[in-house]
Amino acid sequence: MIGRRTTGAYQGRGLHGEVVERLGRRILTGDLAEGETLDVPGIEVELDVSRTVLREALRVLKAKGLVDARPKRGTFIQPRSQWRLLDPDVVRWRFEGLPDSQFLDDLAEVRGILEPASARLAALRRTDADIAAMERALELMAAAARGDGDAVEADLAFHRALLAATHNELLVSMEVVLETGLAARDRMVHGAVQDDDPTPAHAAVLAAIRARDAEGAGSAATALLAKSLLDIERARAAGPVAPSREPQ
């Protein structure tokens, strides 16, 4: 029975949102396999929810590409090729268990395309407010490296501020693509690589942006990504670390 909101759940969307969380996780972990037809009456009984609540949850999952329905077949799990893999909830569910190695590699490639270009634009367009936001994030990062604060949230704050400094609405919207994957990647790295301080590498990006040095900012962002890849390899070598389920 569903009775209490799950930590990090589909917040603010009622009982059907909790059903979305339950079924979404089961699909992404393979507990509900691609092509499998759902036993809708059985799920209603299992989760102790009404047909209306389950129907609304399935509508949400359909919008994410995870399920579909056909006459005579019923509701079934879509092939992975149909999943909205950049949907923030889908990304998060992929990391609810152990991190998805292929996704981390894909994320690194996306960051390699976006972040140096974003840093170059930020250097040309940043305002004093943008610099202040990145400075605050850097301060949080340094504090977290000393054991005082949340290293994951500090890293996310810096990357949000960097995208905002581009003043490009489409790039800023990429925050929802990167954020959940970055959070899961950071939890993996910070959980396994204990002696790491990411502050200097981020400070180099900020220094170039502050100086309006577009090429320097791009180069610093590339160096930061190279360090990120090294950290992931160190974390992999250290063994699996189950990520936290705290809200992001």
Side-chain angles (χ1 to χ4, degrees):
M1 176 177 178
I2 296 178
R4 185 170 58 184
R5 185 171 303 284
T6 308
T7 301
Y10 198 62
Q11 295 183 9
R13 306 200 183 177
L15 186 60
H16 87 274
E18 298 186 29
V19 178
V20 169
E21 285 288 320
R22 286 278 196 93
L23 296 180
R25 289 187 185 117
R26 290 173 66 180
I27 293 168
L28 268 293
T29 60
D31 183 46
L32 292 171
E34 295 177 44
E36 180 176 345
T37 299
L38 298 180
D39 176 7
V40 173
I43 293 173
E44 289 174 27
V45 172
E46 176 192 351
L47 301 183
D48 192 19
V49 295
S50 69
R51 177 65 59 88
T52 299
V53 167
L54 183 55
R55 185 183 299 119
E56 180 62 25
L58 292 173
R59 185 178 298 117
V60 172
L61 293 173
K62 181 177 180 179
K64 297 177 184 298
L66 300 179
V67 303
D68 202 356
R70 293 284 186 274
K72 299 183 181 179
R73 180 177 178 182
T75 301
F76 59 94
I77 308 302
Q78 287 263 64
R80 186 184 180 93
S81 60
Q82 299 301 310
W83 297 356
R84 309 290 188 264
L85 294 176
L86 297 182
D87 179 278
D89 287 321
V90 174
V91 173
R92 176 166 53 82
W93 292 329
R94 291 182 72 173
F95 282 93
E96 288 285 322
L98 296 178
D100 182 320
S101 180
Q102 181 60 51
F103 185 77
L104 285 174
D105 292 339
D106 291 346
L107 176 65
E109 289 182 355
V110 171
R111 292 184 67 192
I113 294 168
L114 287 177
E115 292 190 25
S118 295
R120 286 191 289 270
L121 278 178
L124 298 173
R125 299 176 178 177
R126 97 301 187 276
T127 64
D128 290 344
D130 294 323
I131 293 297
M134 283 184 277
E135 287 175 341
R136 286 194 296 272
L138 205 63
E139 290 169 3
L140 292 174
M141 196 176 296
R146 297 190 299 269
D148 181 19
D150 187 334
V152 173
E153 184 53 40
D155 189 35
L156 291 176
F158 184 89
H159 289 279
R160 290 188 200 108
L162 172 59
L163 289 176
T166 68
H167 296 275
N168 179 305
E169 289 184 342
L170 294 180
L171 283 174
V172 172
S173 72
M174 293 302 291
E175 171 187 321
V176 298
V177 174
L178 297 178
E179 186 166 308
T180 306
L182 275 173
R185 172 262 174 210
D186 283 351
R187 281 194 292 270
M188 173 187 176
V189 168
H190 293 303
V193 181
Q194 300 296 333
D195 60 346
D196 177 66
D197 180 359
T199 310
H202 288 77
V205 178
L206 174 56
I209 291 174
R210 184 189 290 112
R212 300 190 185 277
D213 178 1
E215 290 310 309
S219 297
T222 297
L224 174 60
L225 291 170
K227 180 183 182 303
S228 176
L229 288 173
L230 180 60
D231 289 342
I232 289 174
E233 291 309 313
R234 292 175 65 195
R236 284 171 171 163
V241 176
S244 159
R245 291 193 178 189
E246 289 303 307
Q248 295 170 28

